[in-house]
Amino acid sequence: EIAEKLITAKQTVSVAESSTGGLIAANLLSVPGASAYFIGGSVVYTLKSRRAFLDFDRERMKKLKPLTEEMAFEFARAARGKLETTWGIAELGAAGPAGTPYGGGAGISVIGISGPVDATIKIETHSNDRAANMNAFAEAALRLFLDNL
């Protein structure tokens, strides 16, 4: 459904994901003809990879709290800008079993969409099941994207 809408509208998408480990990109790429809309993405799992693959206003980023919807939106905007796509999708979270270095537990993700419509969402599964959380976060990101296409 996402692929059909993007192809029909001649729109493109790029992805920056963290705790989903590439599942969002894999889902977008699983449709034949994905090269018409999927430009690229990165798994920005570490600070080093974020700096390498995304361009941020560092002063603005310093003012944002970690794992917030505002931060996810900035990642989505950076992904969109870096690859000059119609849409950018970003996901940041803690899949588990450990929590975040910021004091939060496992099972939390923030997702941002940047494009003709901007949207964010926070997901909390209250679980430390890494694989289940990764899938839940990717599904939530794709649902948010589809709902805003």
Side-chain angles (χ1 to χ4, degrees):
E1 202 173 343
I2 290 171
E4 183 180 310
K5 287 180 179 254
L6 289 171
I7 290 168
T8 299
K10 294 183 173 32
Q11 295 181 339
T12 56
V13 64
S14 55
V15 179
E17 52 190 310
S18 177
S19 64
T20 50
L23 291 174
I24 298 168
N27 275 276
L28 292 169
L29 286 167
S30 68
V31 177
S35 61
Y37 58 86
F38 187 86
I39 304 305
S42 57
V43 177
V44 290
Y45 200 67
T46 64
L47 181 58
K48 184 175 183 178
S49 64
R50 291 172 187 162
R51 288 183 175 160
F53 297 121
L54 300 173
D55 296 327
F56 293 112
D57 176 342
R58 288 196 183 183
E59 290 307 310
R60 169 134 173 77
M61 291 301 289
K62 286 179 185 177
K63 295 176 184 173
L64 298 176
K65 289 176 64 174
L67 278 182
T68 59
E69 291 179 54
E70 294 81 14
M71 183 168 275
F73 173 74
E74 289 299 324
F75 275 64
R77 191 165 71 168
R80 178 181 176 208
K82 185 74 171 182
L83 294 177
E84 299 176 344
T85 56
T86 312
W87 297 93
I89 304 171
E91 181 279 332
L92 308 167
T100 73
Y102 319 109
I108 184 170
S109 176
V110 288
I111 299 159
I113 306 290
S114 173
V117 175
D118 298 330
T120 61
I121 191 170
K122 181 178 182 179
I123 306 296
E124 293 187 70
T125 65
H126 306 287
S127 169
N128 64 356
D129 182 328
R130 186 176 186 83
N133 284 335
M134 290 172 73
N135 285 315
F137 300 163
E139 185 177 320
L142 293 165
R143 173 59 48 201
L144 181 66
F145 186 40
L146 179 59
D147 290 347
N148 285 281
L149 276 174

